[in-house]
Amino acid sequence: MDFKKIAEEMQPRSMAARDWVFQVIRTAIIRGELPGDMPLRQDEISAALSVSHIPVREAFRQLEAQGLVRIYPNRGAVVTKLSRKELGNVMDTRILLEVGALRMAFPNITEVEIAKARELLDEFARETNHVTGAELNLKMHFTLYNPCDNPVLLSLIDQMHANVDRYITPFYGEENKVDLYSLDEHTQFINACESKDVELATAILRTHLQRTKNLLLKSPMLS
């Protein structure tokens, strides 16, 4: 696992060592580069990122709090692996949280957020790299959730994404891209937000997330 490469993508480093290491490992897990049940070696990570063991251990604890890593007394840190039922539960929770965030955000969504969401969707439509495309899609959604002005809610949504997005990578072929990231569906979603039709916007969002759930539950990575 090339932790150094991911770290270089995140430059310049502008946060505490613990948080920086956390973000590097978290990114690797979300991208599917660290599969479930893979042990995380402190020595390897420390050497790759040129940090001591202390921030690495602290990062492991942060990752465990997000459900991405489990720390065993005699095995150390291991990347978690969701069962089919657990993934279904996470997606159901995502639907509740994201629809709720959108409803809370609706009165505060301005033309600025609408324009930014369209810009991100246009970038996504031109993007060929699946990792960057997934990140653009997430940014587009959060652009419309952020006006809810509830950091706790947004943090929980981000945590749900981290646990699910690592299972999306295997499905990012052309045959599934429409199901996961339908441009037409996202355009309708943004249009509904712009026209202040909260019921239509939340209905589109719920349908989109339910479709994503149904597709992910077919993953051969699940037990």
Side-chain angles (χ1 to χ4, degrees):
M1 173 64 225
D2 195 346
F3 292 104
K4 187 175 181 179
K5 182 180 178 181
I6 293 178
E8 288 172 349
E9 292 178 20
M10 298 172 60
Q11 293 292 341
R13 173 178 160 185
S14 58
M15 59 186 76
R18 173 197 62 190
D19 298 326
W20 182 63
V21 174
F22 163 75
Q23 288 295 342
V24 171
I25 301 173
R26 185 177 188 268
T27 298
I29 293 174
I30 291 173
R31 291 181 180 181
E33 296 180 27
L34 292 173
D37 292 333
M38 174 174 280
L40 297 175
R41 309 298 183 192
Q42 282 191 45
D43 291 343
E44 177 189 355
I45 297 171
S46 295
L49 302 181
S50 300
V51 297
S52 70
H53 284 187
I54 294 174
V56 176
R57 285 196 296 269
E58 292 175 341
F60 285 172
R61 285 194 286 269
Q62 286 181 282
L63 291 162
E64 185 175 44
Q66 289 209 345
L68 297 174
V69 162
R70 185 165 291 116
I71 300 174
Y72 297 93
N74 298 317
R75 286 181 65 192
V78 178
V79 179
T80 57
K81 182 177 180 179
L82 297 181
S83 67
R84 201 173 305 276
K85 181 176 181 179
E86 288 170 333
L87 181 59
N89 289 341
V90 171
M91 282 303 302
D92 287 341
T93 304
R94 261 190 66 183
I95 292 171
L96 290 172
L97 294 176
E98 293 190 40
V99 169
L102 182 64
R103 282 190 177 278
M104 290 175 62
F106 229 76
N108 303 319
I109 295 176
T110 68
E111 293 181 2
V112 174
E113 282 85 28
I114 297 296
K116 182 62 177 177
R118 291 193 190 282
E119 177 185 331
L120 289 166
L121 186 60
D122 288 341
E123 287 184 49
F124 169 78
R126 299 189 298 269
E127 184 56 56
T128 56
N129 181 279
H130 73 276
V131 171
T132 305
E135 291 171 352
L136 287 168
N137 176 72
L138 184 59
K139 287 180 181 177
M140 186 276 290
H141 277 270
F142 268 89
T143 296
L144 298 172
Y145 301 157
N146 285 335
C148 76
D149 194 27
N150 186 326
V152 175
L153 176 56
L154 294 172
S155 178
L156 288 172
I157 293 173
D158 184 57
Q159 182 176 332
M160 295 299 105
H161 269 280
N163 275 276
V164 168
D165 287 355
R166 52 187 165 147
Y167 294 97
I168 286 179
T169 301
F171 287 96
Y172 201 96
E174 287 304 315
E175 69 278 8
N176 290 313
K177 185 175 178 180
V178 172
D179 289 324
L180 282 170
Y181 301 116
S182 167
L183 295 177
D184 181 60
E185 187 174 68
H186 279 83
T187 299
Q188 292 177 31
F189 174 53
I190 296 172
N191 288 345
C193 291
E194 184 175 34
S195 63
K196 301 297 182 182
D197 191 335
V198 65
E199 297 306 327
L200 178 59
T202 52
I204 293 172
L205 178 60
R206 187 184 299 276
T207 298
H208 167 64
L209 294 176
Q210 184 63 48
R211 184 181 297 117
T212 301
K213 172 190 171 182
N214 294 342
L215 182 62
L216 291 179
L217 289 180
K218 299 175 184 177
S219 173
M221 299 168 62
L222 300 172
S223 57

